[in-house]
Amino acid sequence: MDTDDYYGRLKDFLPPLSQEDARAGAKIGASALLHLLTHSYLYAEPEARPAILKDAYKAAFFVMQVVYYLASGQYCRSKKELLACLDGAEKEILQAGLDVPAWLAAHTETQAFALLRGWCGGVLTGNESV
């Protein structure tokens, strides 16, 4: 979806992605994020947590792209484009990811972990459109 060919054609080497491939990718991404967040919340040193959250919120964008594509059929290539299409927790997650330090200045780390963990859990349980 978001890979441009520069030398040769990727489709000559790989079969086209199916909806099931995209669905599995979204769940794998959400699962990896949920694992990272849970482990970091429990075991990471306090001074490491802001950087971990910054990376996790950045990674959430890529999972969110796929989740939104599966729900709408529209693939958004940029955060700005996707942000205009979202509401609720997804929009808050994407906005937080644009400037995690500023978002953390107004929220607790516990809230940051909980917001993203809750969304990942929704992707995995089907409460988010996957």
Side-chain angles (χ1 to χ4, degrees), residues 73-91:
Q74 177 185 350
Y75 185 76
C76 299
R77 290 180 74 102
S78 71
K79 290 178 184 178
K80 182 178 177 182
E81 184 182 356
L82 184 57
L83 191 58
C85 299
L86 300 176
D87 56 18
E90 289 178 321
K91 187 169 193 161

Side-chain angles (χ1 to χ4, degrees), residues 7-15:
Y7 302 102
R9 296 182 321 185
L10 190 58
K11 68 180 183 179
D12 292 341
F13 301 99
L14 298 173

Side-chain angles (χ1 to χ4, degrees), residues 8-111:
R9 296 182 321 185
L10 190 58
K11 68 180 183 179
D12 292 341
F13 301 99
L14 298 173
L17 291 175
S18 69
Q19 292 289 104
E20 195 51 43
D21 293 330
R23 190 170 287 104
K27 289 187 175 195
I28 290 167
S31 177
L33 270 174
L34 187 59
H35 176 81
L36 169 76
L37 292 162
T38 302
H39 186 274
S40 299
Y41 184 77
L42 294 173
Y43 301 112
E45 295 295 326
E47 61 274 3
R49 289 183 181 156
I52 292 167
L53 285 167
K54 183 178 178 185
D55 289 343
Y57 273 76
K58 179 180 179 180
F61 162 69
F62 299 104
V63 177
M64 210 171 281
Q65 277 180 305
V66 179
V67 170
Y68 185 74
Y69 168 75
L70 289 166
S72 70
Q74 177 185 350
Y75 185 76
C76 299
R77 290 180 74 102
S78 71
K79 290 178 184 178
K80 182 178 177 182
E81 184 182 356
L82 184 57
L83 191 58
C85 299
L86 300 176
D87 56 18
E90 289 178 321
K91 187 169 193 161
E92 185 173 1
I93 289 166
L94 198 53
Q95 285 174 324
L98 295 174
D99 190 352
V100 173
W103 196 86
L104 283 173
H107 299 83
T108 66
E109 282 184 359
T110 299
Q111 290 172 315

